Amino acid sequence: MQIVVVLKRVPDTDTRVRVAEDGFSLDPGGVRYVTNPYDEFALEAALRIREERGEGEITAITLGEESAQEMLRGALAAGADRAILLRGRAGSDGSAVARALLPEVEALGPDLVLFGMKTIDDDQEQLGPMLATMLRLPCATAVSEFEIEGSHLRCRREVEGAREWVQLPLPAALTITKGAYEPRHPSLKGIMAAKKKPLDVRDVIVPPGRMRVVEMRLPPERQGAKFIGEGPDAVPELVRRLRGEAGVL
Amino acid sequence: MAGVLALVETKEGSLRSSGIEAMSAATVLAERMGTGADALVVGPPEIDAAAGALSGYGAGTIHLALDPALAGYRPEVFAEIAVQVIREGEYDVVLLAGTGLGRDLAGRLGALLDVPVAEDATAISVMDGRLRIERPVFAGKALATVEVDVSPTLVTLRPGAFPVQQSEGAGTLARRSLALDPGRWPTETISRESGSAEVPDVSEASIVVSGGRGLRDPESWRLLEELCAELGPEAGLGASRAVVDAGWRPHSEQVGQTGKTVAPRLYFAIGISGAVQHLAGMRTAGTIVAINRDRDAPIFRVADYGIVGDAFEVVPRLTEELRSPQGR
Ligand SMILES: Cc1cc2nc3c(=O)[nH]c(=O)nc-3n(C[C@H](O)[C@H](O)[C@H](O)COP(=O)(O)OP(=O)(O)OC[C@H]3O[C@@H](n4cnc5c(N)ncnc54)[C@H](O)[C@@H]3O)c2cc1C
Ligand SMILES: Nc1ncnc2c1ncn2[C@@H]1O[C@H](COP(=O)(O)O)[C@@H](O)[C@H]1O
């Protein structure tokens, strides 16, 4: 079984966001990068499927800068068999990124393509169903757990206030959310083995973006709390303010 | 200039509130663009009676694609129908509520129409005839303004960010005849467990009551549920990651950078310390109330009102105060 895991490198969740001088991008100064947390769930899901079946080849692929190699080495250390870095600039236009990834993922002849549900930098929650549709693969999003039953996948989806089970035929694509796939830590053996695994790096042309960020700013600073008081005795005053000056009740 | 189309989602035989927000936003936008706003509803036949109400939010034509097979979400056919309607009507702008369904469908439509999608918009303005779409990035740590150079411009709207607004529309019903072949759609929903029907999802609630590790155990959520009930049907429950990781609450309730980003009118953070990853998900709320034992907890830096105290004493008192008539 060919499993492709599509991953992105993103700023750590601790990052203090500052706008760069151009006025529309992130100031990279002092930013630490990590694998998008949802993509770690996707990789973990791929590793478990291979363990359960006792066969399967896992390819980790990303579109990004040279420095994304480190993330891919991490994926190899965790257990992926090979990795591909498509060197290019992933802008804010998800459809351009999808079109750049399309021929590369297609060429791998995947039985299963796994995405993270969303990236924590662009927060688009888009690439999975978009690229799956371009690949003409059936797709389920926001999957927290799944199993393979013969030629089908059975997936648990987490949607507003409900969970549902969906079934779709292989080959297929899924976007993975938090659930059954807490990522493992790579073992020392895994880290050593990763050094010998293939990591292809090649340039890719990302089509020009048709959606552009023209401005980025920080949300207005909040003033900080007015302390109403201590303990339950402060409650009547809180309620009075919420009904009165705040007008929210 | 061709018009604006709102895709209105249904839920158990009625129109979803976030869908009505999308319709209202479409009408406002169409007015600014000097064009009209229409609606598309895909769902089961029972919706026919409810859909006419969209004229009260400015819908000109209400396209209806109704069939018993469409009671649940069938992604491939929903996308196929939407693409047909968008192409036939030559719509310039298409708005969808950014629910789980809306986000799933938008990506597919982007692929089929070969256009980008501006996701999770919190505001849309028109400048020199172009749309400027504001969307939170880095889970709300920053706000980006984007412009799209192609038509149709596809936008998903953050639930709760666009107000419901009444306005008179012609409301002409256009029922589409469908020749559906369910055998051809690969993705099938086998079963569905809905959560509590009375409590809205955290992303759609206009008041959110969120709890953290300070509540000590899952049984304490009874206190939050009682508070929620007293706050009425627009109040929903949220949680910090610490309690989701502990298995006390489902991930669907998690607020923050690796959970949901929410913008309710009123947000209660109870026994939540206010880690950056949590703040990212709720800092755009209208009014924030923090209840915490620790006066130095970072949550107080973003809160509007704070009570320093034990949640086990403050929360029941709050519920009681809201219940008492003289408090009103
Ligand atoms: C990659 C990554 C992603 C993350 N994503 C998220 C996310 O999406 N959402 C999220 O929430 N977190 C996220 N986190 C976790 C975050 O860093 C914090 O660990 C978490 O938010 C803490 O949850 P908490 O406030 O419930 O618990 P704590 O930090 O333990 O805070 C408990 C609070 O309760 C107070 N308290 C204790 N007893 C009482 C009482 N009786 N009455 C009143 N107050 C009391 C304490 O003073 C304290 O402030 C993420 C972390 C990482 C590394
Ligand atoms: N530049 C990229 N390279 C590889 N995968 C990506 C890239 N951007 C997004 N993805 C994948 O698509 C998912 C959804 O991303 P997004 O639509 O940006 O929220 C991510 O979780 C990744 O699995």
PDB file of all heavy atoms in Angstrom, chain A residues 57-61 69 72-77 79-85 192-202:
ATOM      1  N   GLU A  57       4.262   1.448   2.123  1.00  0.00           N
ATOM      2  CA  GLU A  57       5.373   2.378   1.992  1.00  0.00           C
ATOM      3  C   GLU A  57       4.851   3.785   2.236  1.00  0.00           C
ATOM      4  O   GLU A  57       3.845   4.176   1.650  1.00  0.00           O
ATOM      5  CB  GLU A  57       6.014   2.287   0.603  1.00  0.00           C
ATOM      6  CG  GLU A  57       7.334   2.992   0.579  1.00  0.00           C
ATOM      7  CD  GLU A  57       8.004   2.990  -0.796  1.00  0.00           C
ATOM      8  OE1 GLU A  57       7.283   2.923  -1.811  1.00  0.00           O
ATOM      9  OE2 GLU A  57       9.231   3.079  -0.824  1.00  0.00           O
ATOM     10  N   ILE A  58       5.538   4.514   3.122  1.00  0.00           N
ATOM     11  CA  ILE A  58       5.078   5.851   3.493  1.00  0.00           C
ATOM     12  C   ILE A  58       6.015   6.904   2.914  1.00  0.00           C
ATOM     13  O   ILE A  58       7.220   6.891   3.174  1.00  0.00           O
ATOM     14  CB  ILE A  58       5.019   6.002   5.029  1.00  0.00           C
ATOM     15  CG1 ILE A  58       4.079   4.947   5.627  1.00  0.00           C
ATOM     16  CG2 ILE A  58       4.580   7.417   5.412  1.00  0.00           C
ATOM     17  CD1 ILE A  58       4.063   4.907   7.140  1.00  0.00           C
ATOM     18  N   THR A  59       5.445   7.816   2.117  1.00  0.00           N
ATOM     19  CA  THR A  59       6.222   8.938   1.580  1.00  0.00           C
ATOM     20  C   THR A  59       5.735  10.222   2.232  1.00  0.00           C
ATOM     21  O   THR A  59       4.535  10.514   2.210  1.00  0.00           O
ATOM     22  CB  THR A  59       6.021   9.056   0.053  1.00  0.00           C
ATOM     23  OG1 THR A  59       6.343   7.810  -0.541  1.00  0.00           O
ATOM     24  CG2 THR A  59       6.918  10.159  -0.531  1.00  0.00           C
ATOM     25  N   ALA A  60       6.672  10.968   2.811  1.00  0.00           N
ATOM     26  CA  ALA A  60       6.329  12.280   3.383  1.00  0.00           C
ATOM     27  C   ALA A  60       6.714  13.338   2.360  1.00  0.00           C
ATOM     28  O   ALA A  60       7.826  13.329   1.840  1.00  0.00           O
ATOM     29  CB  ALA A  60       7.087  12.504   4.683  1.00  0.00           C
ATOM     30  N   ILE A  61       5.769  14.239   2.062  1.00  0.00           N
ATOM     31  CA  ILE A  61       6.055  15.238   1.033  1.00  0.00           C
ATOM     32  C   ILE A  61       5.667  16.632   1.536  1.00  0.00           C
ATOM     33  O   ILE A  61       4.679  16.788   2.251  1.00  0.00           O
ATOM     34  CB  ILE A  61       5.314  14.897  -0.287  1.00  0.00           C
ATOM     35  CG1 ILE A  61       5.720  15.829  -1.425  1.00  0.00           C
ATOM     36  CG2 ILE A  61       3.797  14.926  -0.112  1.00  0.00           C
ATOM     37  CD1 ILE A  61       5.274  15.334  -2.806  1.00  0.00           C
ATOM     38  N   GLN A  69      13.779  20.655   5.168  1.00  0.00           N
ATOM     39  CA  GLN A  69      14.449  19.341   5.191  1.00  0.00           C
ATOM     40  C   GLN A  69      14.484  18.755   6.589  1.00  0.00           C
ATOM     41  O   GLN A  69      14.362  17.552   6.780  1.00  0.00           O
ATOM     42  CB  GLN A  69      15.892  19.507   4.699  1.00  0.00           C
ATOM     43  CG  GLN A  69      15.994  19.508   3.205  1.00  0.00           C
ATOM     44  CD  GLN A  69      17.400  19.111   2.752  1.00  0.00           C
ATOM     45  OE1 GLN A  69      18.007  18.203   3.307  1.00  0.00           O
ATOM     46  NE2 GLN A  69      17.894  19.817   1.749  1.00  0.00           N
ATOM     47  N   LEU A  72      11.403  17.021   7.435  1.00  0.00           N
ATOM     48  CA  LEU A  72      11.292  15.742   6.732  1.00  0.00           C
ATOM     49  C   LEU A  72      12.194  14.684   7.363  1.00  0.00           C
ATOM     50  O   LEU A  72      11.821  13.512   7.453  1.00  0.00           O
ATOM     51  CB  LEU A  72      11.617  15.923   5.245  1.00  0.00           C
ATOM     52  CG  LEU A  72      10.590  16.753   4.472  1.00  0.00           C
ATOM     53  CD1 LEU A  72      11.039  16.959   3.028  1.00  0.00           C
ATOM     54  CD2 LEU A  72       9.211  16.098   4.494  1.00  0.00           C
ATOM     55  N   ARG A  73      13.393  15.094   7.817  1.00  0.00           N
ATOM     56  CA  ARG A  73      14.265  14.139   8.541  1.00  0.00           C
ATOM     57  C   ARG A  73      13.542  13.627   9.780  1.00  0.00           C
ATOM     58  O   ARG A  73      13.644  12.460  10.141  1.00  0.00           O
ATOM     59  CB  ARG A  73      15.574  14.811   8.966  1.00  0.00           C
ATOM     60  CG  ARG A  73      16.599  14.962   7.887  1.00  0.00           C
ATOM     61  CD  ARG A  73      17.318  13.652   7.554  1.00  0.00           C
ATOM     62  NE  ARG A  73      18.067  13.837   6.308  1.00  0.00           N
ATOM     63  CZ  ARG A  73      18.202  12.920   5.347  1.00  0.00           C
ATOM     64  NH1 ARG A  73      17.649  11.724   5.490  1.00  0.00           N
ATOM     65  NH2 ARG A  73      18.869  13.188   4.264  1.00  0.00           N
ATOM     66  N   GLY A  74      12.799  14.521  10.406  1.00  0.00           N
ATOM     67  CA  GLY A  74      12.013  14.128  11.589  1.00  0.00           C
ATOM     68  C   GLY A  74      10.956  13.096  11.220  1.00  0.00           C
ATOM     69  O   GLY A  74      10.731  12.133  11.946  1.00  0.00           O
ATOM     70  N   ALA A  75      10.325  13.285  10.072  1.00  0.00           N
ATOM     71  CA  ALA A  75       9.297  12.335   9.620  1.00  0.00           C
ATOM     72  C   ALA A  75       9.934  10.982   9.303  1.00  0.00           C
ATOM     73  O   ALA A  75       9.376   9.925   9.603  1.00  0.00           O
ATOM     74  CB  ALA A  75       8.564  12.892   8.399  1.00  0.00           C
ATOM     75  N   LEU A  76      11.133  11.017   8.713  1.00  0.00           N
ATOM     76  CA  LEU A  76      11.856   9.767   8.420  1.00  0.00           C
ATOM     77  C   LEU A  76      12.248   9.071   9.722  1.00  0.00           C
ATOM     78  O   LEU A  76      12.158   7.853   9.848  1.00  0.00           O
ATOM     79  CB  LEU A  76      13.095  10.049   7.569  1.00  0.00           C
ATOM     80  CG  LEU A  76      12.825  10.581   6.148  1.00  0.00           C
ATOM     81  CD1 LEU A  76      14.113  11.037   5.480  1.00  0.00           C
ATOM     82  CD2 LEU A  76      12.134   9.513   5.290  1.00  0.00           C
ATOM     83  N   ALA A  77      12.661   9.870  10.710  1.00  0.00           N
ATOM     84  CA  ALA A  77      13.059   9.299  12.006  1.00  0.00           C
ATOM     85  C   ALA A  77      11.865   8.655  12.701  1.00  0.00           C
ATOM     86  O   ALA A  77      11.986   7.630  13.358  1.00  0.00           O
ATOM     87  CB  ALA A  77      13.664  10.386  12.889  1.00  0.00           C
ATOM     88  N   GLY A  79       9.514   7.223  11.173  1.00  0.00           N
ATOM     89  CA  GLY A  79       9.215   5.964  10.497  1.00  0.00           C
ATOM     90  C   GLY A  79       8.820   6.039   9.037  1.00  0.00           C
ATOM     91  O   GLY A  79       8.602   5.015   8.405  1.00  0.00           O
ATOM     92  N   ALA A  80       8.713   7.240   8.465  1.00  0.00           N
ATOM     93  CA  ALA A  80       8.409   7.323   7.027  1.00  0.00           C
ATOM     94  C   ALA A  80       9.544   6.667   6.247  1.00  0.00           C
ATOM     95  O   ALA A  80      10.690   6.648   6.707  1.00  0.00           O
ATOM     96  CB  ALA A  80       8.230   8.777   6.608  1.00  0.00           C
ATOM     97  N   ASP A  81       9.242   6.112   5.063  1.00  0.00           N
ATOM     98  CA  ASP A  81      10.266   5.417   4.294  1.00  0.00           C
ATOM     99  C   ASP A  81      11.074   6.352   3.417  1.00  0.00           C
ATOM    100  O   ASP A  81      12.243   6.134   3.169  1.00  0.00           O
ATOM    101  CB  ASP A  81       9.613   4.340   3.415  1.00  0.00           C
ATOM    102  CG  ASP A  81       8.928   3.297   4.269  1.00  0.00           C
ATOM    103  OD1 ASP A  81       9.646   2.568   4.971  1.00  0.00           O
ATOM    104  OD2 ASP A  81       7.676   3.248   4.270  1.00  0.00           O
ATOM    105  N   ARG A  82      10.404   7.366   2.884  1.00  0.00           N
ATOM    106  CA  ARG A  82      11.138   8.338   2.087  1.00  0.00           C
ATOM    107  C   ARG A  82      10.435   9.675   2.119  1.00  0.00           C
ATOM    108  O   ARG A  82       9.285   9.773   2.558  1.00  0.00           O
ATOM    109  CB  ARG A  82      11.329   7.862   0.655  1.00  0.00           C
ATOM    110  CG  ARG A  82      10.045   7.621  -0.068  1.00  0.00           C
ATOM    111  CD  ARG A  82      10.387   6.799  -1.301  1.00  0.00           C
ATOM    112  NE  ARG A  82       9.226   6.656  -2.141  1.00  0.00           N
ATOM    113  CZ  ARG A  82       9.104   7.210  -3.334  1.00  0.00           C
ATOM    114  NH1 ARG A  82      10.053   7.982  -3.817  1.00  0.00           N
ATOM    115  NH2 ARG A  82       8.029   6.996  -4.048  1.00  0.00           N
ATOM    116  N   ALA A  83      11.183  10.688   1.683  1.00  0.00           N
ATOM    117  CA  ALA A  83      10.639  12.032   1.801  1.00  0.00           C
ATOM    118  C   ALA A  83      10.977  12.840   0.564  1.00  0.00           C
ATOM    119  O   ALA A  83      11.985  12.592  -0.102  1.00  0.00           O
ATOM    120  CB  ALA A  83      11.200  12.717   3.038  1.00  0.00           C
ATOM    121  N   ILE A  84      10.107  13.786   0.251  1.00  0.00           N
ATOM    122  CA  ILE A  84      10.317  14.652  -0.914  1.00  0.00           C
ATOM    123  C   ILE A  84      10.119  16.096  -0.493  1.00  0.00           C
ATOM    124  O   ILE A  84       9.067  16.439   0.063  1.00  0.00           O
ATOM    125  CB  ILE A  84       9.317  14.320  -2.048  1.00  0.00           C
ATOM    126  CG1 ILE A  84       9.451  12.847  -2.455  1.00  0.00           C
ATOM    127  CG2 ILE A  84       9.520  15.252  -3.239  1.00  0.00           C
ATOM    128  CD1 ILE A  84       8.381  12.364  -3.412  1.00  0.00           C
ATOM    129  N   LEU A  85      11.129  16.916  -0.764  1.00  0.00           N
ATOM    130  CA  LEU A  85      10.976  18.352  -0.552  1.00  0.00           C
ATOM    131  C   LEU A  85      10.829  19.022  -1.911  1.00  0.00           C
ATOM    132  O   LEU A  85      11.724  18.943  -2.754  1.00  0.00           O
ATOM    133  CB  LEU A  85      12.193  18.934   0.175  1.00  0.00           C
ATOM    134  CG  LEU A  85      12.280  20.468   0.169  1.00  0.00           C
ATOM    135  CD1 LEU A  85      11.074  21.117   0.840  1.00  0.00           C
ATOM    136  CD2 LEU A  85      13.569  20.937   0.853  1.00  0.00           C
ATOM    137  N   MET A 192      18.883   7.388  13.760  1.00  0.00           N
ATOM    138  CA  MET A 192      20.061   6.881  13.034  1.00  0.00           C
ATOM    139  C   MET A 192      19.642   6.371  11.659  1.00  0.00           C
ATOM    140  O   MET A 192      20.272   6.675  10.649  1.00  0.00           O
ATOM    141  CB  MET A 192      20.733   5.751  13.819  1.00  0.00           C
ATOM    142  CG  MET A 192      21.284   6.154  15.183  1.00  0.00           C
ATOM    143  SD  MET A 192      22.305   7.637  15.135  1.00  0.00           S
ATOM    144  CE  MET A 192      23.753   6.992  14.303  1.00  0.00           C
ATOM    145  N   ALA A 193      18.550   5.601  11.622  1.00  0.00           N
ATOM    146  CA  ALA A 193      18.092   5.013  10.358  1.00  0.00           C
ATOM    147  C   ALA A 193      17.700   6.103   9.367  1.00  0.00           C
ATOM    148  O   ALA A 193      17.898   5.956   8.151  1.00  0.00           O
ATOM    149  CB  ALA A 193      16.908   4.078  10.610  1.00  0.00           C
ATOM    150  N   ALA A 194      17.169   7.207   9.881  1.00  0.00           N
ATOM    151  CA  ALA A 194      16.675   8.271   8.998  1.00  0.00           C
ATOM    152  C   ALA A 194      17.786   8.840   8.134  1.00  0.00           C
ATOM    153  O   ALA A 194      17.559   9.286   7.015  1.00  0.00           O
ATOM    154  CB  ALA A 194      16.042   9.379   9.847  1.00  0.00           C
ATOM    155  N   LYS A 195      19.005   8.796   8.659  1.00  0.00           N
ATOM    156  CA  LYS A 195      20.128   9.382   7.914  1.00  0.00           C
ATOM    157  C   LYS A 195      20.370   8.654   6.602  1.00  0.00           C
ATOM    158  O   LYS A 195      20.936   9.219   5.671  1.00  0.00           O
ATOM    159  CB  LYS A 195      21.389   9.348   8.774  1.00  0.00           C
ATOM    160  CG  LYS A 195      21.239  10.257   9.988  1.00  0.00           C
ATOM    161  CD  LYS A 195      22.521  10.407  10.764  1.00  0.00           C
ATOM    162  CE  LYS A 195      22.323  11.415  11.874  1.00  0.00           C
ATOM    163  NZ  LYS A 195      23.027  11.059  13.099  1.00  0.00           N
ATOM    164  N   LYS A 196      19.965   7.380   6.556  1.00  0.00           N
ATOM    165  CA  LYS A 196      20.215   6.604   5.336  1.00  0.00           C
ATOM    166  C   LYS A 196      19.000   6.542   4.416  1.00  0.00           C
ATOM    167  O   LYS A 196      19.058   5.992   3.332  1.00  0.00           O
ATOM    168  CB  LYS A 196      20.644   5.176   5.712  1.00  0.00           C
ATOM    169  CG  LYS A 196      21.965   5.154   6.437  1.00  0.00           C
ATOM    170  CD  LYS A 196      22.486   3.725   6.577  1.00  0.00           C
ATOM    171  CE  LYS A 196      23.466   3.600   7.722  1.00  0.00           C
ATOM    172  NZ  LYS A 196      22.808   3.416   9.044  1.00  0.00           N
ATOM    173  N   LYS A 197      17.898   7.084   4.858  1.00  0.00           N
ATOM    174  CA  LYS A 197      16.698   7.006   4.018  1.00  0.00           C
ATOM    175  C   LYS A 197      16.711   8.099   2.955  1.00  0.00           C
ATOM    176  O   LYS A 197      17.268   9.172   3.170  1.00  0.00           O
ATOM    177  CB  LYS A 197      15.445   7.148   4.885  1.00  0.00           C
ATOM    178  CG  LYS A 197      15.201   5.957   5.807  1.00  0.00           C
ATOM    179  CD  LYS A 197      13.954   6.192   6.645  1.00  0.00           C
ATOM    180  CE  LYS A 197      13.672   5.003   7.550  1.00  0.00           C
ATOM    181  NZ  LYS A 197      12.567   5.295   8.490  1.00  0.00           N
ATOM    182  N   PRO A 198      16.071   7.826   1.801  1.00  0.00           N
ATOM    183  CA  PRO A 198      16.117   8.812   0.707  1.00  0.00           C
ATOM    184  C   PRO A 198      15.293  10.068   0.988  1.00  0.00           C
ATOM    185  O   PRO A 198      14.145   9.976   1.417  1.00  0.00           O
ATOM    186  CB  PRO A 198      15.533   8.054  -0.490  1.00  0.00           C
ATOM    187  CG  PRO A 198      14.770   6.912   0.087  1.00  0.00           C
ATOM    188  CD  PRO A 198      15.390   6.585   1.415  1.00  0.00           C
ATOM    189  N   LEU A 199      15.915  11.226   0.759  1.00  0.00           N
ATOM    190  CA  LEU A 199      15.217  12.504   0.844  1.00  0.00           C
ATOM    191  C   LEU A 199      15.513  13.256  -0.455  1.00  0.00           C
ATOM    192  O   LEU A 199      16.626  13.735  -0.661  1.00  0.00           O
ATOM    193  CB  LEU A 199      15.703  13.293   2.069  1.00  0.00           C
ATOM    194  CG  LEU A 199      14.886  14.490   2.549  1.00  0.00           C
ATOM    195  CD1 LEU A 199      15.362  14.952   3.915  1.00  0.00           C
ATOM    196  CD2 LEU A 199      14.859  15.652   1.590  1.00  0.00           C
ATOM    197  N   ASP A 200      14.534  13.296  -1.345  1.00  0.00           N
ATOM    198  CA  ASP A 200      14.728  13.984  -2.641  1.00  0.00           C
ATOM    199  C   ASP A 200      14.398  15.458  -2.474  1.00  0.00           C
ATOM    200  O   ASP A 200      13.368  15.784  -1.894  1.00  0.00           O
ATOM    201  CB  ASP A 200      13.736  13.469  -3.698  1.00  0.00           C
ATOM    202  CG  ASP A 200      13.964  12.023  -4.026  1.00  0.00           C
ATOM    203  OD1 ASP A 200      15.041  11.510  -3.672  1.00  0.00           O
ATOM    204  OD2 ASP A 200      13.048  11.410  -4.616  1.00  0.00           O
ATOM    205  N   VAL A 201      15.243  16.291  -3.030  1.00  0.00           N
ATOM    206  CA  VAL A 201      14.953  17.720  -3.032  1.00  0.00           C
ATOM    207  C   VAL A 201      14.920  18.182  -4.478  1.00  0.00           C
ATOM    208  O   VAL A 201      15.844  17.919  -5.226  1.00  0.00           O
ATOM    209  CB  VAL A 201      16.048  18.508  -2.277  1.00  0.00           C
ATOM    210  CG1 VAL A 201      15.711  19.995  -2.261  1.00  0.00           C
ATOM    211  CG2 VAL A 201      16.201  17.983  -0.861  1.00  0.00           C
ATOM    212  N   ARG A 202      13.808  18.780  -4.873  1.00  0.00           N
ATOM    213  CA  ARG A 202      13.798  19.350  -6.222  1.00  0.00           C
ATOM    214  C   ARG A 202      12.953  20.609  -6.269  1.00  0.00           C
ATOM    215  O   ARG A 202      12.078  20.824  -5.435  1.00  0.00           O
ATOM    216  CB  ARG A 202      13.353  18.334  -7.267  1.00  0.00           C
ATOM    217  CG  ARG A 202      12.081  17.635  -6.961  1.00  0.00           C
ATOM    218  CD  ARG A 202      11.746  16.718  -8.148  1.00  0.00           C
ATOM    219  NE  ARG A 202      10.491  16.037  -7.904  1.00  0.00           N
ATOM    220  CZ  ARG A 202      10.392  14.870  -7.301  1.00  0.00           C
ATOM    221  NH1 ARG A 202      11.461  14.220  -6.891  1.00  0.00           N
ATOM    222  NH2 ARG A 202       9.206  14.329  -7.106  1.00  0.00           N
TER     223      ARG A 202
END
